[in-house]
Amino acid sequence: MSSWRRRHCFPLGWNWHTNRFLFHCFVLLFLLFFMFLLFNNNRWLPRQIIYRGIVEVDNTYSFQSKVSESIPKVFQKLVVSRSKNNQSNHRKVQYRRLPTVEITSNGASQNTPHYGYIINEAKKCQKSTPFLLLLISVEPQQLNAREAIRQTWGKEDLFPGIQIVTLFLLGRDAKGTGTTDQTIINESSQYHDIIQQNYLDTYNNLTVKTLMGMHWITTFCPKVAYVMKTDSDMFVNTEHLIYGLLKPEIAPQTNYFTGYFMKGYAPNRNKKSKWYMSQELYPGDLYPPFCSGTGYVFSGDLAEKIYKVSLSIPRLHLEDVYIGVCLAKLGIKPVPPPKESDFNIWRVYYSDCVYNQIVTSHQFQPTELLKYWNQLQQNKHACSKTHK
C-alpha cells in the first residue's frame, strides 16, 4: 500500500527517502508564498473592517462598535487608514502601540470638532444670554441623578433676574444597563436639557465629554457670562456660587478659571491606579496648575479658546489635567477661589451654616441631595449672610 501511494503521488524515479529534503523545501516555499499574498492583500481582513475601518481617536484609540464586537484581540492593535494614492479603496495597515482602547459608535480624528449630536438644544440661548451655564457630566443611566439636580441646584428659575441654563452632557450607554436611546429622547423631549453625542460614555472619554460642552458653548451660546462644569454626584450651592463668587452686579470677568486649585501635582505612574498616566502620554514630571474636575468655574470667553487650542493638543484621558494643559498653552493661569473652602473634592460634613457658605461638596446620592438641599433652603436664613 505504501509503494502504491508513492507511485501515484510522485513521478517515476522519485526517491522518497533520499529527496525528502526537496519536498520539505517545496512545502516551505509554498507556505511563504501564501503568507506573502495573505499579508499584502487587505481582502483577507473581515469585510466590515475593510469597509468601515478602525479609526484612531485622540490618544485613546477607538474601534467602531459594530466592527469591534467580532474582532479578535490580535487585530485590536490595527490602525487602518485610507491610501490616498490607491484608487481601489484598499487600506494601508500599520501597527501601533495603543495605550488604551475605547469603543465608539463612530469615528473621529484628533482634529474632528465633535462626534455628531444625537440630541441637541441649539436654541437654549437664543431668547437671551444666560448669566450662568451649568454643564453637568452624567451617565445615560443616571436618570435619578438628573431628576434630583433638576429639583435642586440645577433648577433654572431659582433666582429672579438671573438666567441659568442647565445642560446634562451624555454619550452613548457603555454599561449595557438597558437605557435605550428612546428613553433618553423621551426625557429630552420633556425637559430640553440634554446634550448627547455619538461616543461611548466611559471614564476614559470624560475629556471628549467636556470638550463636547466647550464646543456647544462656542457654537450655540458664545456670549454666556460664566460656566460651571461639574459632576452628577455633587452638591452645588448655586446661590453662593452666583452671589458670593461671581457677583452679577459687576461686569463679567474674562480669562477667569477657578475651582479646587491643584498645583505641583506629579503624574501617577502606578499602572494599577485609576489616575495612571503613562510616560508616553505625558512625559513631564509635573502637571501644570489645574482645577479638579469635580467642579470648576470659568468665564464664558474661555470655552472657545479652550476648544480651539485643544485641536492642537493630544488628548489625555484625565479631563481636568487636560484642561489645565490647554490653559497652560493659552498662557492662562487658574486662580484659587476667594476661600479655600469654597470648592471641595470630598464630602463635607453637613451643617446648615457650613453649606450656606460653600460652592461644592462631593459624593451625594440623589436622595441625599434632595434631603440636604431642602433642609438648607429651610434653614439658611438662620445663618448670617450678606449678599454683596
Side-chain angles (χ1 to χ4, degrees):
M1 180 63 71
S2 177
S3 61
W4 182 90
R5 287 180 177 170
R6 290 173 188 167
R7 282 197 308 270
H8 289 77
C9 292
F10 304 101
L12 292 175
W14 183 281
N15 188 321
W16 169 256
H17 294 288
T18 59
N19 294 289
R20 182 183 298 177
F21 174 76
L22 294 177
F23 175 76
H24 287 172
C25 289
F26 173 80
V27 172
L28 180 61
L29 289 172
F30 176 81
L31 290 175
L32 290 174
F33 179 72
F34 177 77
M35 291 178 66
F36 175 80
L37 293 178
L38 188 68
F39 285 97
N40 282 273
N41 190 338
N42 292 348
R43 287 174 293 182
W44 67 275
L45 285 170
R47 184 176 180 182
Q48 281 186 317
I49 302 180
I50 290 298
Y51 178 72
R52 294 177 63 86
I54 302 174
V55 184
E56 178 183 0
V57 180
D58 319 325
N59 275 333
T60 62
Y61 295 77
S62 301
F63 297 94
Q64 298 170 7
S65 60
K66 292 183 180 179
V67 180
S68 62
E69 293 173 358
S70 60
I71 297 177
K73 290 183 178 180
V74 67
F75 298 140
Q76 290 187 3
K77 291 186 178 181
L78 288 176
V79 180
V80 182
S81 59
R82 184 180 299 275
S83 174
K84 296 181 180 179
N85 299 321
N86 194 333
Q87 299 300 321
S88 63
N89 289 332
H90 286 178
R91 310 250 178 169
K92 291 182 179 179
V93 180
Q94 298 177 339
Y95 289 88
R96 291 190 183 183
R97 182 181 178 184
L98 306 185
T100 182
V101 172
E102 289 296 314
I103 301 173
T104 65
S105 54
N106 78 324
S109 69
Q110 168 69 22
N111 293 322
T112 298
H114 59 87
Y115 288 75
Y117 288 102
I118 300 172
I119 299 174
N120 192 12
E121 292 292 339
K123 298 181 180 180
K124 267 285 192 178
C125 297
Q126 278 190 357
K127 292 183 179 180
S128 59
T129 300
F131 176 75
L132 176 64
L133 175 61
L134 297 171
L135 294 178
I136 305 161
S137 179
V138 60
E139 297 177 15
Q141 68 271 17
Q142 293 178 322
L143 304 173
N144 293 335
R146 291 194 289 275
E147 188 57 37
I149 292 171
R150 291 184 185 110
Q151 297 179 36
T152 57
W153 55 266
K155 195 174 181 182
E156 293 186 339
D157 59 353
L158 274 175
F159 312 107
I162 302 294
Q163 185 180 353
I164 300 173
V165 167
T166 298
L167 290 174
F168 295 100
L169 307 180
L170 282 71
R172 298 291 291 272
D173 184 13
K175 294 185 177 180
T177 60
T179 304
T180 64
D181 293 340
Q182 190 59 49
T183 302
I184 303 298
I185 291 172
N186 293 341
E187 183 184 357
S188 172
S189 298
Q190 181 178 358
Y191 296 106
H192 298 284
D193 58 5
I194 289 176
I195 294 178
Q196 186 181 33
Q197 282 188 351
N198 203 13
Y199 58 87
L200 285 194
D201 203 306
T202 64
Y203 180 80
N204 282 345
N205 275 342
L206 285 177
T207 299
V208 173
K209 180 177 285 191
T210 296
L211 292 177
M212 172 179 76
M214 301 291 185
H215 176 266
W216 189 92
I217 296 169
T218 302
T219 307
F220 302 108
C221 201
K223 302 296 184 181
V224 62
Y226 291 102
V227 181
M228 180 178 190
K229 180 269 165 185
T230 188
D231 294 337
S232 59
D233 61 347
M234 299 296 290
F235 184 106
V236 178
N237 185 343
T238 332
E239 185 173 4
H240 182 65
L241 169 62
I242 292 173
Y243 295 106
L245 185 69
L246 301 180
K247 304 183 185 303
E249 68 274 12
I250 63 176
Q253 301 181 64
T254 57
N255 291 335
Y256 174 71
F257 197 102
T258 192
Y260 185 85
F261 189 68
M262 306 184 79
K263 184 178 181 180
Y265 281 76
N268 190 324
R269 305 301 189 190
N270 180 3
K271 293 184 178 181
K272 296 181 179 180
S273 172
K274 178 181 179 180
W275 300 282
Y276 167 69
M277 180 64 69
S278 70
Q279 191 83 26
E280 179 184 14
L281 283 178
Y282 191 88
D285 294 329
L286 290 176
Y287 293 135
F290 64 98
C291 293
S292 168
T294 53
Y296 50 75
V297 177
F298 55 94
S299 53
D301 64 299
L302 278 184
E304 182 176 4
K305 296 174 183 177
I306 291 171
Y307 168 70
K308 286 185 175 179
V309 78
S310 74
L311 300 179
S312 63
I313 301 175
R315 303 279 169 83
L316 302 177
H317 61 286
L318 300 182
E319 169 259 339
D320 45 11
V321 170
Y322 182 76
I323 297 300
V325 172
C326 290
L327 291 174
K329 188 166 183 178
L330 289 168
I332 297 171
K333 296 181 180 179
V335 296
K339 302 196 310 293
E340 186 178 350
S341 60
D342 280 335
F343 293 84
N344 301 281
I345 60 175
W346 54 84
R347 179 162 173 163
V348 178
Y349 181 79
Y350 183 82
S351 160
D352 295 336
C353 294
V354 169
Y355 271 63
N356 198 39
Q357 294 294 317
I358 65 174
V359 177
T360 65
S361 183
H362 197 194
Q363 297 178 339
F364 274 77
Q365 296 297 320
T367 53
E368 296 176 313
L369 182 57
L370 290 166
K371 173 185 175 181
Y372 289 114
W373 175 267
N374 292 330
Q375 183 173 334
L376 179 62
Q377 303 316 302
Q378 294 172 5
N379 302 329
K380 62 183 180 181
H381 300 293
C383 303
S384 59
K385 179 179 180 181
T386 302
H387 289 176
K388 296 182 180 180

